[in-house]
Amino acid sequence: MAGLCEGRVVIVTGGGRGIGREYCLMLAEEGAKVVVNDLGNTRDGSGDGSLGPAEEVVAEIKAKGGEAVANGADVSDWAQAKGMIDQAVATFGRLDALINNAGILRDRMLVNMTEAEWDAVIKVHLKGTFAPTHHAANYWRDLNKATGEQVNARIINTSSVSGIYGNIGQTNYGAAKQGIAAFTIIASRELRRYGVTVNAIAPGALTRLTEDLREVTEERKASGDPKWVAPIAVWLCSAESKDVSGRMFEASGTVLGIAEGWHRGPTATPVKDPNLMGPIVAELVAKARLNAGMDGKDLD
Ligand code: NAD
């Protein structure tokens, strides 16, 4: 029986470990040809990196009869990101989906956060999403122009509840992940004309990124298996998902849902005198819905 992604060519950034690795394996099981990108970084993005983790995933896919190739680009490097898109097309003849998943963490209270800790996280997540997306989108735009047909292609970005809802100690990471949410919505509107959908996933899984955040119980191990996150990513890569774009999916072993974006809440008549603001703002705040906590529900 043909798989859900039979013959589709998919790049997974940060595909050597954790959630990305699971994406690669499940995509291959569903018939996709996979470009496994990973520069083999440490959790905080330091170190020289190595192709090792990506090559291990490629070997695993090939051992099961699938097709895959390793790529060692730093996704936040403009030229290397272009090289990754070119490699997919040169190796497999086309590109159908890009999953921007690579990420690092440098958690710190903002009063203690260094400039380097801020810059590194913003670069890998935000530029590491923009650069591959830019080059892939140009490839698809050219294809659309040349053929006159919708390309039926996909971008899947990676956000986090730390960004869309907000988590203490992660102003750098959360700002990047909230930025990726905005990027997703805007890119989905821009790329619709070529037949490219753009969605994001806020995943939850037990990986080296999260293993030391709380005690690792048997329950946490079971619900933290990245296998719970991969199905929505694989489905979004398929041709079947063509009518879904601009959405933020929350996916883990405990939830599969859609996070809803900002909406304008209560309003008041504008005034020019700041002395009048006190009671107006008090009324607006009393009427407005509370921000969400990390569980996506109203913060008390
Ligand atoms: P992970 O550390 O297991 O895997 C991330 C991979 O990205 C690593 O193999 C690393 O080498 C690679 N990488 C890092 N920087 C790179 C770069 N510049 N270029 C190429 N590859 C690079 O982490 P994970 O938990 O699987 O995280 C995957 C994604 O999911 C990240 O974007 C992360 O922020 C996000 N996320 C994870 C969770 C969770 O619960 N694990 C929650 C929210 C968001």
Tab-separated table of all heavy atoms in Angstrom, residues 255-297:
chain	number	residue	atom	x	y	z
A	255	VAL	N	-1.824	16.052	24.352
A	255	VAL	CA	-2.742	16.955	23.643
A	255	VAL	C	-2.456	16.997	22.144
A	255	VAL	O	-1.308	16.910	21.709
A	255	VAL	CB	-2.667	18.398	24.229
A	255	VAL	CG1	-1.352	19.070	23.907
A	255	VAL	CG2	-3.809	19.290	23.716
A	256	LEU	N	-3.540	17.087	21.359
A	256	LEU	CA	-3.447	17.442	19.947
A	256	LEU	C	-4.495	18.536	19.755
A	256	LEU	O	-5.687	18.294	19.952
A	256	LEU	CB	-3.761	16.235	19.050
A	256	LEU	CG	-3.801	16.548	17.552
A	256	LEU	CD1	-2.454	17.026	17.027
A	256	LEU	CD2	-4.255	15.324	16.749
A	257	GLY	N	-4.054	19.722	19.446
A	257	GLY	CA	-5.016	20.819	19.345
A	257	GLY	C	-4.494	21.941	18.476
A	257	GLY	O	-3.372	21.882	17.975
A	258	ILE	N	-5.321	22.964	18.317
A	258	ILE	CA	-4.905	24.160	17.592
A	258	ILE	C	-4.862	25.311	18.580
A	258	ILE	O	-5.836	25.553	19.312
A	258	ILE	CB	-5.873	24.479	16.432
A	258	ILE	CG1	-5.685	23.462	15.300
A	258	ILE	CG2	-5.658	25.903	15.915
A	258	ILE	CD1	-6.509	23.726	14.061
A	259	ALA	N	-3.732	26.007	18.644
A	259	ALA	CA	-3.632	27.213	19.474
A	259	ALA	C	-4.149	28.381	18.647
A	259	ALA	O	-3.772	28.536	17.483
A	259	ALA	CB	-2.177	27.443	19.876
A	260	GLU	N	-5.024	29.150	19.258
A	260	GLU	CA	-5.615	30.281	18.531
A	260	GLU	C	-4.781	31.539	18.769
A	260	GLU	O	-4.264	31.759	19.859
A	260	GLU	CB	-7.053	30.481	18.994
A	260	GLU	CG	-7.910	29.271	18.663
A	260	GLU	CD	-9.275	29.277	19.312
A	260	GLU	OE1	-9.488	30.055	20.258
A	260	GLU	OE2	-10.121	28.488	18.872
A	261	GLY	N	-4.687	32.378	17.741
A	261	GLY	CA	-3.804	33.547	17.805
A	261	GLY	C	-4.413	34.728	18.535
A	261	GLY	O	-5.474	34.629	19.146
A	262	TRP	N	-3.697	35.840	18.488
A	262	TRP	CA	-4.209	37.065	19.098
A	262	TRP	C	-5.507	37.500	18.427
A	262	TRP	O	-5.632	37.393	17.206
A	262	TRP	CB	-3.199	38.197	18.910
A	262	TRP	CG	-1.952	38.062	19.717
A	262	TRP	CD1	-0.744	37.609	19.273
A	262	TRP	CD2	-1.771	38.411	21.095
A	262	TRP	NE1	0.163	37.645	20.297
A	262	TRP	CE2	-0.434	38.130	21.417
A	262	TRP	CE3	-2.618	38.926	22.079
A	262	TRP	CZ2	0.087	38.354	22.694
A	262	TRP	CZ3	-2.108	39.142	23.342
A	262	TRP	CH2	-0.776	38.860	23.647
A	263	HIS	N	-6.446	37.978	19.228
A	263	HIS	CA	-7.655	38.606	18.688
A	263	HIS	C	-7.836	39.916	19.428
A	263	HIS	O	-7.456	40.019	20.601
A	263	HIS	CB	-8.893	37.739	18.957
A	263	HIS	CG	-8.913	36.466	18.172
A	263	HIS	ND1	-9.590	36.325	16.993
A	263	HIS	CD2	-8.316	35.273	18.402
A	263	HIS	CE1	-9.414	35.106	16.523
A	263	HIS	NE2	-8.636	34.447	17.368
A	264	ARG	N	-8.418	40.930	18.774
A	264	ARG	CA	-8.697	42.159	19.524
A	264	ARG	C	-9.779	41.866	20.567
A	264	ARG	O	-10.813	41.298	20.260
A	264	ARG	CB	-9.177	43.258	18.565
A	264	ARG	CG	-9.368	44.578	19.276
A	264	ARG	CD	-9.718	45.691	18.293
A	264	ARG	NE	-8.629	45.929	17.371
A	264	ARG	CZ	-8.777	46.302	16.100
A	264	ARG	NH1	-9.962	46.454	15.587
A	264	ARG	NH2	-7.726	46.507	15.344
A	265	GLY	N	-9.521	42.258	21.784
A	265	GLY	CA	-10.478	42.062	22.871
A	265	GLY	C	-11.370	43.282	23.034
A	265	GLY	O	-11.760	43.909	22.051
A	266	PRO	N	-11.691	43.658	24.291
A	266	PRO	CA	-12.565	44.811	24.520
A	266	PRO	C	-11.929	46.105	24.001
A	266	PRO	O	-10.709	46.230	23.965
A	266	PRO	CB	-12.712	44.858	26.039
A	266	PRO	CG	-11.655	43.993	26.585
A	266	PRO	CD	-11.278	43.009	25.541
A	267	THR	N	-12.750	47.047	23.600
A	267	THR	CA	-12.237	48.328	23.091
A	267	THR	C	-12.917	49.489	23.821
A	267	THR	O	-13.957	49.325	24.468
A	267	THR	CB	-12.515	48.490	21.577
A	267	THR	OG1	-13.928	48.409	21.388
A	267	THR	CG2	-11.826	47.418	20.761
A	268	ALA	N	-12.292	50.678	23.715
A	268	ALA	CA	-12.874	51.904	24.282
A	268	ALA	C	-12.688	53.024	23.258
A	268	ALA	O	-11.903	52.887	22.320
A	268	ALA	CB	-12.156	52.257	25.586
A	269	THR	N	-13.406	54.119	23.462
A	269	THR	CA	-13.236	55.265	22.563
A	269	THR	C	-11.882	55.923	22.855
A	269	THR	O	-11.573	56.205	24.018
A	269	THR	CB	-14.371	56.295	22.812
A	269	THR	OG1	-15.617	55.590	22.714
A	269	THR	CG2	-14.337	57.419	21.798
A	270	PRO	N	-11.043	56.145	21.808
A	270	PRO	CA	-9.724	56.758	22.043
A	270	PRO	C	-9.839	58.147	22.683
A	270	PRO	O	-10.793	58.880	22.417
A	270	PRO	CB	-9.136	56.867	20.636
A	270	PRO	CG	-9.893	55.867	19.819
A	270	PRO	CD	-11.262	55.811	20.398
A	271	VAL	N	-8.867	58.495	23.554
A	271	VAL	CA	-8.830	59.829	24.172
A	271	VAL	C	-7.424	60.415	23.976
A	271	VAL	O	-6.460	59.674	23.784
A	271	VAL	CB	-9.147	59.771	25.693
A	271	VAL	CG1	-10.580	59.348	25.927
A	271	VAL	CG2	-8.180	58.826	26.427
A	272	LYS	N	-7.318	61.758	24.026
A	272	LYS	CA	-6.008	62.395	23.837
A	272	LYS	C	-5.354	62.760	25.165
A	272	LYS	O	-4.184	63.102	25.206
A	272	LYS	CB	-6.164	63.661	22.986
A	272	LYS	CG	-6.404	63.340	21.508
A	272	LYS	CD	-6.480	64.605	20.669
A	272	LYS	CE	-6.490	64.270	19.185
A	272	LYS	NZ	-6.897	65.407	18.357
A	273	ASP	N	-6.086	62.677	26.267
A	273	ASP	CA	-5.582	63.105	27.573
A	273	ASP	C	-5.172	61.883	28.414
A	273	ASP	O	-6.032	61.076	28.791
A	273	ASP	CB	-6.699	63.888	28.281
A	273	ASP	CG	-6.240	64.397	29.644
A	273	ASP	OD1	-5.114	64.060	30.065
A	273	ASP	OD2	-7.031	65.115	30.292
A	274	PRO	N	-3.838	61.722	28.731
A	274	PRO	CA	-3.412	60.543	29.519
A	274	PRO	C	-4.034	60.507	30.913
A	274	PRO	O	-4.142	59.434	31.519
A	274	PRO	CB	-1.890	60.704	29.600
A	274	PRO	CG	-1.605	62.124	29.284
A	274	PRO	CD	-2.700	62.599	28.375
A	275	ASN	N	-4.485	61.654	31.426
A	275	ASN	CA	-5.104	61.691	32.757
A	275	ASN	C	-6.433	60.941	32.797
A	275	ASN	O	-6.923	60.584	33.865
A	275	ASN	CB	-5.320	63.144	33.195
A	275	ASN	CG	-3.994	63.858	33.378
A	275	ASN	OD1	-3.266	63.601	34.324
A	275	ASN	ND2	-3.651	64.728	32.423
A	276	LEU	N	-7.010	60.715	31.618
A	276	LEU	CA	-8.298	60.005	31.566
A	276	LEU	C	-8.119	58.487	31.497
A	276	LEU	O	-9.077	57.730	31.574
A	276	LEU	CB	-9.104	60.467	30.340
A	276	LEU	CG	-9.479	61.952	30.285
A	276	LEU	CD1	-10.193	62.274	28.967
A	276	LEU	CD2	-10.378	62.319	31.468
A	277	MET	N	-6.866	58.038	31.291
A	277	MET	CA	-6.609	56.623	30.991
A	277	MET	C	-6.930	55.661	32.139
A	277	MET	O	-7.391	54.539	31.892
A	277	MET	CB	-5.136	56.420	30.602
A	277	MET	CG	-4.849	56.655	29.145
A	277	MET	SD	-5.832	55.571	28.108
A	277	MET	CE	-5.471	56.290	26.525
A	278	GLY	N	-6.649	56.066	33.391
A	278	GLY	CA	-6.797	55.144	34.535
A	278	GLY	C	-8.081	54.343	34.510
A	278	GLY	O	-8.036	53.095	34.398
A	279	PRO	N	-9.244	54.986	34.614
A	279	PRO	CA	-10.495	54.217	34.652
A	279	PRO	C	-10.803	53.486	33.341
A	279	PRO	O	-11.398	52.403	33.369
A	279	PRO	CB	-11.566	55.291	34.929
A	279	PRO	CG	-10.915	56.615	34.704
A	279	PRO	CD	-9.443	56.427	34.841
A	280	ILE	N	-10.370	54.068	32.226
A	280	ILE	CA	-10.634	53.387	30.932
A	280	ILE	C	-9.880	52.064	30.887
A	280	ILE	O	-10.434	51.011	30.544
A	280	ILE	CB	-10.212	54.294	29.738
A	280	ILE	CG1	-11.067	55.559	29.696
A	280	ILE	CG2	-10.316	53.525	28.428
A	280	ILE	CD1	-10.660	56.570	28.652
A	281	VAL	N	-8.592	52.119	31.274
A	281	VAL	CA	-7.776	50.894	31.237
A	281	VAL	C	-8.307	49.883	32.260
A	281	VAL	O	-8.364	48.671	31.987
A	281	VAL	CB	-6.284	51.218	31.491
A	281	VAL	CG1	-5.468	49.934	31.660
A	281	VAL	CG2	-5.718	52.043	30.343
A	282	ALA	N	-8.717	50.370	33.432
A	282	ALA	CA	-9.256	49.448	34.452
A	282	ALA	C	-10.448	48.682	33.894
A	282	ALA	O	-10.582	47.468	34.102
A	282	ALA	CB	-9.645	50.240	35.700
A	283	GLU	N	-11.310	49.381	33.156
A	283	GLU	CA	-12.490	48.718	32.596
A	283	GLU	C	-12.091	47.720	31.498
A	283	GLU	O	-12.619	46.607	31.425
A	283	GLU	CB	-13.454	49.768	32.032
A	283	GLU	CG	-14.835	49.194	31.817
A	283	GLU	CD	-15.812	50.201	31.208
A	283	GLU	OE1	-15.600	51.424	31.371
A	283	GLU	OE2	-16.763	49.746	30.554
A	284	LEU	N	-11.126	48.133	30.649
A	284	LEU	CA	-10.668	47.222	29.581
A	284	LEU	C	-10.060	45.957	30.181
A	284	LEU	O	-10.359	44.845	29.741
A	284	LEU	CB	-9.620	47.919	28.698
A	284	LEU	CG	-10.127	49.007	27.751
A	284	LEU	CD1	-8.945	49.654	27.019
A	284	LEU	CD2	-11.112	48.441	26.730
A	285	VAL	N	-9.197	46.139	31.187
A	285	VAL	CA	-8.529	44.986	31.804
A	285	VAL	C	-9.555	44.064	32.464
A	285	VAL	O	-9.467	42.830	32.365
A	285	VAL	CB	-7.457	45.450	32.811
A	285	VAL	CG1	-6.936	44.267	33.640
A	285	VAL	CG2	-6.285	46.127	32.096
A	286	ALA	N	-10.558	44.667	33.110
A	286	ALA	CA	-11.583	43.851	33.778
A	286	ALA	C	-12.368	43.016	32.763
A	286	ALA	O	-12.779	41.888	33.056
A	286	ALA	CB	-12.527	44.758	34.569
A	287	LYS	N	-12.560	43.580	31.573
A	287	LYS	CA	-13.356	42.878	30.558
A	287	LYS	C	-12.531	41.881	29.749
A	287	LYS	O	-13.074	40.950	29.160
A	287	LYS	CB	-13.935	43.898	29.564
A	287	LYS	CG	-15.134	44.684	30.068
A	287	LYS	CD	-15.689	45.433	28.865
A	287	LYS	CE	-16.600	46.565	29.255
A	287	LYS	NZ	-16.702	47.569	28.183
A	288	ALA	N	-11.191	42.114	29.661
A	288	ALA	CA	-10.361	41.306	28.756
A	288	ALA	C	-10.103	39.917	29.307
A	288	ALA	O	-9.984	39.725	30.521
A	288	ALA	CB	-9.023	42.008	28.508
A	289	ARG	N	-10.005	38.971	28.404
A	289	ARG	CA	-9.654	37.603	28.771
A	289	ARG	C	-8.215	37.593	29.295
A	289	ARG	O	-7.362	38.339	28.806
A	289	ARG	CB	-9.751	36.743	27.509
A	289	ARG	CG	-9.710	35.296	27.783
A	289	ARG	CD	-9.948	34.492	26.519
A	289	ARG	NE	-9.512	33.138	26.805
A	289	ARG	CZ	-9.625	32.132	25.959
A	289	ARG	NH1	-10.130	32.325	24.766
A	289	ARG	NH2	-9.216	30.940	26.309
A	290	LEU	N	-7.953	36.745	30.276
A	290	LEU	CA	-6.589	36.637	30.812
A	290	LEU	C	-5.670	35.997	29.776
A	290	LEU	O	-6.126	35.251	28.913
A	290	LEU	CB	-6.592	35.771	32.076
A	290	LEU	CG	-7.369	36.335	33.252
A	290	LEU	CD1	-7.598	35.238	34.298
A	290	LEU	CD2	-6.615	37.510	33.871
A	291	ASN	N	-4.368	36.295	29.845
A	291	ASN	CA	-3.408	35.572	29.015
A	291	ASN	C	-3.418	34.105	29.430
A	291	ASN	O	-3.795	33.771	30.555
A	291	ASN	CB	-1.995	36.130	29.209
A	291	ASN	CG	-1.843	37.519	28.617
A	291	ASN	OD1	-2.565	37.901	27.689
A	291	ASN	ND2	-0.921	38.292	29.152
A	292	ALA	N	-2.972	33.244	28.505
A	292	ALA	CA	-2.937	31.812	28.822
A	292	ALA	C	-1.681	31.457	29.592
A	292	ALA	O	-0.636	32.091	29.434
A	292	ALA	CB	-2.986	31.006	27.531
A	293	GLY	N	-1.787	30.429	30.423
A	293	GLY	CA	-0.612	29.858	31.083
A	293	GLY	C	-0.005	28.788	30.189
A	293	GLY	O	-0.459	28.580	29.058
A	294	MET	N	0.997	28.086	30.692
A	294	MET	CA	1.700	27.103	29.866
A	294	MET	C	0.816	25.936	29.427
A	294	MET	O	1.173	25.188	28.520
A	294	MET	CB	2.917	26.575	30.635
A	294	MET	CG	4.072	27.554	30.626
A	294	MET	SD	4.865	27.648	28.998
A	294	MET	CE	5.885	26.169	29.079
A	295	ASP	N	-0.333	25.739	30.103
A	295	ASP	CA	-1.239	24.667	29.678
A	295	ASP	C	-2.255	25.159	28.651
A	295	ASP	O	-3.164	24.444	28.260
A	295	ASP	CB	-1.960	24.066	30.890
A	295	ASP	CG	-2.796	25.112	31.632
A	295	ASP	OD1	-2.797	26.291	31.212
A	295	ASP	OD2	-3.446	24.743	32.627
A	296	GLY	N	-2.104	26.412	28.211
A	296	GLY	CA	-3.005	26.935	27.185
A	296	GLY	C	-4.329	27.431	27.730
A	296	GLY	O	-5.185	27.896	26.986
A	297	LYS	N	-4.509	27.319	29.053
A	297	LYS	CA	-5.767	27.785	29.663
A	297	LYS	C	-5.533	29.120	30.353
A	297	LYS	O	-4.381	29.468	30.647
A	297	LYS	CB	-6.266	26.751	30.670
A	297	LYS	CG	-6.574	25.437	29.981
A	297	LYS	CD	-7.001	24.390	30.975
A	297	LYS	CE	-7.215	23.061	30.272
A	297	LYS	NZ	-6.984	21.923	31.125
